[in-house]
Amino acid sequence: MDLQAELSLLAEADARAAQYLKSINVRPAFPSQQSIKNLDALVGALPQSPSDPKQTLALLDEYGGPATVASNGPNYFGFVIGASLPVAAAAERLAASWDQCASSHVNSPAMAAIEKTAGTWLLDVLDLPKQSGVGFGTSATACGLSCLAIARTGLLERLGWDLSAKGLTGAPEIRVVVPVSVHITIKKALRLLGFGMDRIVYAPVDQNGRVIPDQLPPLNDRTILCLQAGEVNTGEFDPFTNIIPVAKAAGAWVHIDGAFGLWARASRNYNHLTNGVELADSWTTDGHKWLNTPYDSAVAICRDKTLMAKTLNADAVYAQGEEDAQKNLTLEFSRRARGLSFWAALHSLGRDGVEELVDRYCNLATRLAAGCREIGVPVHNRVVLNQVLCALDNEEKTKSFVSAVQASGKVWFGPTVWRGKAAFRLSVSSWKTTEDHIDGLIEEFVRFL
Ligand SMILES: Cc1ncc(COP(=O)(O)O)c(C=O)c1O
């Protein structure tokens, strides 16, 4: 393919992308059964011979596009998934043409500088310890896994055990304490790291899903304690000021899963919810949730940057990197610069814009909760953040209501289980969602009640 053909292909992709975006506000929030069936056009056997790249692109657009979920629009309220900020999406488009391997300075000086700056800005806007290491990974899952691996290495190091050299056989056992309401991905990370699900210790939580300080299991210098900034159903925060100092005094490592809730720190109206979270040892959060960067972008933050870089080190004789090279702060070796969309979003929004985004989601969630109550849909959480948790008065009604609204295709949100009963979860996390969309969601509810 010559340069002319390459440019023409990219121009066509852009034109198709523009068509898609033009229709995003009126696309079904979830694709029709027919569109899903039409995906058959994409899923046959591996072609033997090459195709015209324009044909490949056309197939994707014509059959893939209609079967997409309109989560890049304003009417999607599922899974804390938001539309992508245009500046972050555009920056990624530009970066795709650069195609940088962002492992270290020597691989890409531009990406190294941009991600380093994104890290500094992130610590600033989230008001976390300035000396922390910041690794941009794929997801809160992967970044959580990194942080938990660092936590274990760090605790064992303090106990005089070199995990990198000696491995786990014969090592002092590290216990993990998590809230009963812990997110499934923390459990996945712990399982992969070999902690053993049967050995996890659960901390009881209150009716809001928050750890109860008085009932915290015993902690010591062989304990990793995971807490949450933003419980997945209620959006609530563990009482950090009551717990973290006690855990630290006992010698425990405290990790915070702040996949979406950590962003409350960026707002003067909501940062009180996170008081004390800065005392932890490590934190994870996503860009692709509240900051609305495109998938996949997340971050692992560790107070002890040296320990982080030592645990995740991937220097080779042919690929040496500085301590804060991203390949030494993340799971990946070859990688794209996931910090770039953070950089673009933070540069464009500035501190005020991030605060406004956080406030807007929370205000819209408050409006949504009020609307639900007005039409007789019971709200089961305090709505301290962007999550509204609802359930009708019996489980069957709740389930069929969720299915009926989902099937209408106008809006989408997901079911959940809360305190053993069927419920549903509405997340306001898209910069495109306005008061009108919230009112439209309530109108949809009325149609199906
Ligand atoms: C509280 C919480 N923790 C962790 C995760 C996992 O994040 P990710 O999907 O980026 O791996 C999520 C959401 O999916 C979440 O809501």
Side-chain angles (χ1 to χ4, degrees):
M1 182 181 275
D2 63 18
L3 180 61
Q4 215 40 52
E6 185 179 353
L7 293 179
S8 159
L9 184 67
L10 291 180
E12 183 161 336
D14 274 344
R16 288 179 180 276
Q19 280 307 320
Y20 181 86
L21 281 180
K22 272 187 204 160
S23 66
I24 194 72
N25 286 13
V26 293
R27 295 184 84 84
F30 195 84
S32 68
Q33 285 309 313
Q34 188 56 51
S35 301
I36 294 171
K37 171 128 193 29
N38 292 347
L39 287 170
D40 287 351
L42 305 181
V43 299
L46 172 67
Q48 183 64 40
S49 47
S51 298
D52 175 352
K54 284 203 172 175
Q55 240 179 2
T56 303
L57 189 69
L59 259 182
L60 266 185
D61 186 35
E62 283 158 26
Y63 294 98
T68 55
V69 167
S71 49
N72 202 10
N75 293 311
Y76 193 83
F77 299 92
F79 302 114
V80 205
I81 283 177
S84 50
L85 276 178
V87 70
E92 292 217 339
R93 221 181 200 78
L94 182 61
S97 71
W98 297 344
D99 191 26
Q100 299 290 282
C101 176
S103 299
S104 66
H105 177 84
V106 74
N107 293 97
S108 175
M111 297 305 108
I114 288 166
E115 291 197 287
K116 195 168 176 166
T117 303
T120 307
W121 288 352
L122 202 55
L123 295 177
D124 190 343
V125 77
L126 296 179
D127 193 17
L128 293 175
K130 301 281 180 271
Q131 82 284 1
S132 304
V134 180
F136 292 101
T138 54
S139 60
T141 307
C143 291
L145 190 136
S146 292
C147 287
L148 293 166
I150 297 162
R152 178 163 64 186
T153 303
L155 286 182
L156 286 174
E157 188 174 274
R158 285 187 217 153
L159 295 167
W161 185 271
D162 180 351
L163 180 65
S164 298
K166 297 190 192 171
L168 280 172
T169 308
E173 180 176 356
I174 301 298
R175 281 165 70 249
V176 182
V177 177
V178 300
V180 168
S181 55
V182 65
H183 195 266
I184 187 63
T185 55
I186 291 286
K187 286 194 189 175
K188 173 175 172 173
L190 292 169
R191 208 173 68 228
L192 292 175
L193 290 168
F195 280 99
M197 290 296 96
D198 293 350
R199 302 189 77 76
I200 304 291
V201 180
Y202 289 94
V205 298
D206 63 17
Q207 72 275 20
N208 302 308
R210 311 164 79 216
V211 168
I212 304 166
D214 294 349
Q215 295 179 28
L216 200 60
L219 307 171
N220 60 24
D221 59 358
R222 297 169 183 212
T223 313
I224 299 171
L225 171 66
C226 295
L227 297 173
Q228 304 191 94
E231 198 273 339
V232 73
N233 283 306
T234 60
E236 294 259 358
F237 295 73
D238 286 325
F240 306 121
T241 39
N242 297 333
I243 298 177
I244 300 182
V246 175
K248 298 294 302 241
W253 180 289
V254 182
H255 173 68
I256 306 295
D257 173 7
F260 60 97
L262 206 53
W263 289 93
R265 278 184 88 66
S267 159
R268 280 163 293 185
N269 293 314
Y270 292 91
N271 62 12
H272 63 276
L273 296 167
T274 70
N275 280 351
V277 85
E278 69 282 359
L279 302 171
D281 296 288
S282 57
W283 305 261
T284 49
T285 193
D286 276 320
H288 56 223
K289 290 192 170 72
W290 268 46
L291 193 59
N292 283 185
T293 56
Y295 289 91
D296 36 37
S297 85
V299 68
I301 303 171
C302 184
R303 176 186 293 278
D304 185 342
K305 178 154 93 178
T306 305
L307 173 67
M308 182 180 200
K310 209 163 71 177
T311 308
L312 296 172
N313 182 275
D315 281 342
V317 283
Y318 73 95
Q320 295 289 316
E322 51 287 8
E323 187 188 57
D324 55 4
Q326 282 291 313
K327 76 178 165 80
N328 292 333
L329 300 176
T330 62
L331 297 178
E332 291 81 16
F333 186 64
S334 303
R335 58 186 289 283
R336 68 188 176 84
R338 294 198 164 75
L340 181 132
S341 57
F342 278 92
W343 186 94
L346 294 174
H347 185 270
S348 165
L349 292 170
R351 202 190 300 275
D352 292 346
V354 179
E355 180 174 50
E356 193 276 328
L357 204 62
V358 171
D359 288 355
R360 187 164 10 125
Y361 297 160
C362 295
N363 291 338
L364 289 175
T366 305
R367 183 184 184 93
L368 175 54
C372 287
R373 289 190 197 100
E374 219 166 277
I375 59 168
V377 171
V379 175
H380 286 255
N381 67 333
R382 301 190 297 183
V383 194
V384 294
L385 205 67
N386 67 327
Q387 302 292 107
V388 182
L389 178 66
C390 300
L392 302 185
D393 47 21
N394 82 55
E395 292 205 75
E396 279 324 304
K397 252 165 93 178
T398 300
K399 286 182 195 163
S400 52
F401 175 75
V402 173
S403 306
V405 184
Q406 283 180 345
S408 85
K410 206 162 165 223
V411 298
W412 201 94
F413 55 89
T416 187
V417 173
W418 179 243
R419 310 188 87 192
K421 295 238 163 68
F424 56 95
R425 206 165 64 108
L426 306 158
S427 299
V428 183
S429 24
S430 169
W431 69 272
K432 286 184 181 163
T433 301
T434 63
E435 291 186 348
D436 285 349
H437 299 111
I438 297 295
D439 297 346
L441 177 61
I442 295 292
E443 279 166 28
E444 275 300 281
F445 283 5
V446 171
R447 283 208 308 133
F448 293 96
L449 272 177

